[in-house]
Amino acid sequence: MVIVDVAARRVVDVVDLLVAVVAVAAAAASAAVAAAVAVVVVVAVAAPAAGRGGGRGGKAGGKGKGGGSNVVVKPHRHDGVFVAEGKEHLLVTKNLVPGESVYGEKRIAVENPNAAPSTSDSSTAAKIEYRVWNPFRSKLAAGVLGGLDNIHIKPGAKVLYLGAASGTSVSHVADIVGPEGIVYAVEFSHRSGRDLINMAKKRTNVIPIIEDARHPAKYRMLVGTVDVIFADVAQPDQARIVAFNAEYFLKNGGFVVISIKASCIDSTAQPEAVFAEEVNKLKKSSFRPREQLTLEPYERDHAMLVAEYRRVCLFMCI
Ligand SMILES: C[S@@+](CC[C@H](N)C(=O)[O-])C[C@H]1O[C@@H](n2cnc3c(N)ncnc32)[C@H](O)[C@@H]1O
């Protein structure tokens, strides 16, 4: 099995790829402790359907090499996330729309050990399909591989995703929360929003919202109370945007997971100073920081911050 169409990658990407493989292997080592047993055995490595994407993580429509090699998929310690262990170890999510890639990412079809005997030779019911989740293309994946203790995004969760772009990472979040969960995906660029809307046509647990996240009042009719806010808007006022959205939508005791790009906030200050200042801003807005890590080697001068929301209540909080 191969992770990407290596031949089509730039040299720097090959180096990145090796780093990713090593990191997933490390993550899998800890995942193995949590995983009771391997759940499935690969019967095929699917080449992706034609689609956008490429760059780090594979060219759109790239071919899967070595189809049919044995791979075992195990649950990662984060519920709803998996590790495909073959020649390489890959972070994967269970494809909510089997047979389709979203941005040209590789898919891995595996035997479903729980398939009823009568369906064991039918192609879909007898198999489970996973999509490779590339940490160079998704900061949340980078955070998972970086060792976040809890991403709070899990099956059944209700997530408000700020800075959805064209839906690359959102699609994996949709896989993780599954049919019982929901992802409200906010993006203000109409160009990216078109792709986001197209992705959501098939992933019906995604509600695309083409609006400015600075104005949650404009989409309050579309969004219910959420368990988690994930923010990746890369704006200098991101902390304020997150706090404002939390006031509207985040349940008391809910969590925010924030990707902080230091240069977007203050390109003259040291990244560590920028991260510390962002933490201070959140503390002043009813958040209690729980975790923080940098996203090296996947993203330079980025941090991922997890904080709990504790609403200030004069009488009773709901
Ligand atoms: C770093 S990219 C997000 C990448 C995406 N999270 C992913 O992993 O695929 C930041 C996105 O936030 C969007 N954005 C920036 N400010 C925004 C705002 N105020 N409201 C909504 N979207 C915003 C940008 O248009 C851009 O698509």
Side-chain angles (χ1 to χ4, degrees):
M1 195 188 71
V2 74
I3 307 172
V4 291
D5 186 359
V6 173
R9 294 170 67 97
R10 290 174 295 121
V11 172
V12 64
D13 287 345
V14 175
V15 174
D16 289 343
L17 177 65
L18 292 174
V19 176
V21 169
V22 170
V24 180
S30 62
V33 177
V37 281
V39 290
V40 281
V41 178
V42 161
V43 293
V45 179
R52 289 163 296 98
R56 295 178 172 202
K59 288 280 178 195
K63 288 181 185 138
K65 225 173 31 174
S69 58
N70 284 338
V71 174
V72 175
V73 177
K74 293 178 179 174
H76 193 278
R77 68 188 165 78
H78 293 296
D79 208 6
V81 180
F82 300 85
V83 177
E85 298 184 358
K87 272 187 195 159
E88 300 94 2
H89 288 58
L90 302 169
L91 201 63
V92 296
T93 57
K94 188 171 163 189
N95 194 356
L96 206 55
V97 187
E100 303 235 0
S101 294
V102 174
Y103 52 96
E105 74 284 12
K106 298 286 178 188
R107 289 177 281 120
I108 301 172
V110 303
E111 273 176 16
N112 181 356
N114 300 320
S118 57
T119 62
S120 60
D121 58 352
S122 91
S123 56
T124 46
K127 291 178 188 167
I128 303 176
E129 192 176 276
Y130 296 87
R131 298 189 301 128
V132 173
W133 194 16
N134 185 335
F136 290 101
R137 298 197 55 164
S138 168
K139 283 154 213 150
L140 185 57
V144 167
L145 290 181
L148 278 178
D149 248 2
N150 196 339
I151 55 173
H152 304 281
I153 294 171
K154 57 188 176 192
K158 295 182 178 66
V159 181
L160 174 60
Y161 192 123
L162 306 177
S166 51
T168 305
S169 298
V170 174
S171 68
H172 289 284
V173 173
D175 285 354
I176 294 170
V177 302
E180 308 298 320
I182 193 158
V183 188
Y184 302 100
V186 181
E187 170 57 51
F188 72 176
S189 154
H190 285 255
R191 191 174 175 171
S192 301
R194 271 197 297 275
D195 294 333
L196 177 66
I197 289 168
N198 280 334
M199 184 272 290
K201 282 179 186 161
K202 297 217 167 136
R203 288 183 150 68
T204 52
N205 61 353
V206 177
I207 312 290
I209 299 170
I210 312 306
E211 273 297 350
D212 188 335
R214 292 187 179 94
H215 304 296
K218 289 190 179 174
Y219 46 89
R220 69 181 192 285
M221 304 305 284
L222 297 172
V223 181
T225 300
V226 299
D227 305 304
V228 193
I229 295 178
F230 178 82
D232 184 19
V233 287
Q235 294 282 4
D237 57 341
Q238 176 159 254
R240 201 187 66 86
I241 291 173
V242 168
F244 206 18
N245 278 271
E247 271 177 41
Y248 269 83
F249 308 116
L250 188 57
K251 73 177 185 188
N252 192 29
F255 287 85
V256 290
V257 181
I258 308 174
S259 165
I260 305 170
K261 183 177 181 180
S263 63
C264 280
I265 292 161
D266 186 345
S267 57
T268 62
Q270 285 298 313
E272 289 69 28
V274 174
F275 302 149
E277 186 48 34
E278 290 303 290
V279 170
N280 280 337
K281 287 180 199 166
L282 287 170
K283 279 184 184 164
K284 288 177 192 157
S285 306
S286 310
F287 293 100
R288 294 180 191 168
R290 294 290 182 232
E291 281 189 74
Q292 183 183 331
L293 82 163
T294 62
L295 297 185
E296 304 278 355
Y298 311 107
E299 298 281 354
R300 196 167 298 151
D301 296 338
H302 278 68
M304 190 73 86
L305 179 71
V306 180
E308 187 177 353
Y309 186 52
R310 284 288 166 196
R311 220 177 258 278
V312 179
C313 312
L314 291 180
F315 299 106
M316 239 171 65
C317 275
I318 47 165

